[in-house]
Amino acid sequence: MPTTRLRGLLTRQFTHRRVQALEPAIARLTDSLLGTLAEGGAGGRPVDFMQEFAFALPVAVICELIGVPDWDTGPLRSLARSLTAVLEPLADEAVLAQADAAAVTLGGMFDELTAERRASPRDDLVTELIAAADSPGAGISQLELVENLILLLVAGFETTTNLLGNGLRIILSDPAA
């Protein structure tokens, strides 16, 4: 399937309504995470901003957007890191083997999720993508669907996590910036 067909399928599902509907959940989650950071850092105790906020917020938002259930998000970060490590120019065989294992694990998770949504559709992006993929003439395989869901998940939080961490680093190193 040409990339443009897959891209078209995905972009048609990212409606303004769907993204706008996330705003209250994002505000509540942000307030909750900031409260947790403040509580954890009370009295000058150190907190892990990257884990407790920079990772937690974007992974929760992309999972909400896609329609991922309450998966244990802890493993998602290490799976994403393993998967994206193949983009490093000097990735060795061990790194590639870890990436393969991560892809298999994530693929299994999304295979299960798409089977659940086919059996019990919901008002979420996964269900919409399944409906579009399964429509006559779409020509999208289960593998292509799962691979694109993995891409959405990983791309949806990995870059934002790094952006939040780098932004905090800049602010702390030069508060006038």
Side-chain angles (χ1 to χ4, degrees):
M1 158 158 312
T3 304
T4 53
R5 280 187 73 199
L6 281 172
R7 189 177 311 124
L9 168 71
L10 294 170
T11 57
R12 282 192 298 276
Q13 306 312 318
F14 280 94
T15 63
H16 178 69
R17 176 192 65 83
R18 184 178 305 282
V19 174
Q20 190 174 30
L22 289 174
E23 187 176 347
I26 293 169
R28 279 191 309 276
L29 181 59
T30 301
D31 288 345
S32 174
L33 291 172
L34 288 173
T36 300
L37 280 178
E39 186 178 306
R45 289 187 308 261
V47 293
D48 185 346
F49 175 80
M50 292 305 294
Q51 183 64 35
E52 301 299 326
F53 188 85
F55 167 71
L57 179 63
V59 78
V61 170
I62 195 64
C63 285
E64 179 73 23
L65 175 65
I66 293 173
V68 169
D70 293 329
W71 286 346
D72 177 7
T73 58
L76 292 181
R77 189 168 192 194
S78 63
L79 290 169
R81 280 198 174 140
S82 294
L83 196 58
T84 58
V86 300
L87 302 175
E88 297 297 326
L90 301 176
D92 61 22
E93 286 191 36
V95 169
L96 296 176
Q98 285 181 324
D100 287 345
V104 168
T105 300
L106 286 166
M109 293 167 74
F110 276 111
D111 272 333
E112 288 179 24
L113 180 60
T114 55
E116 286 175 22
R117 290 302 190 277
R118 280 188 173 100
S120 299
R122 295 187 187 169
D123 182 22
D124 61 21
L125 189 60
V126 171
T127 300
E128 294 292 326
L129 290 172
I130 290 167
D134 291 350
S135 66
I140 299 169
S141 70
Q142 175 67 15
L143 179 60
E144 288 173 315
L145 177 62
V146 166
E147 287 172 345
N148 279 278
L149 287 168
I150 292 169
L151 177 64
L152 282 172
L153 175 72
V154 173
F157 76 81
E158 193 65 21
T159 54
T160 306
T161 297
N162 295 330
L163 175 76
L164 289 168
N166 288 332
L168 180 62
R169 183 172 183 262
I170 290 168
I171 290 169
L172 292 175
S173 66
D174 184 6

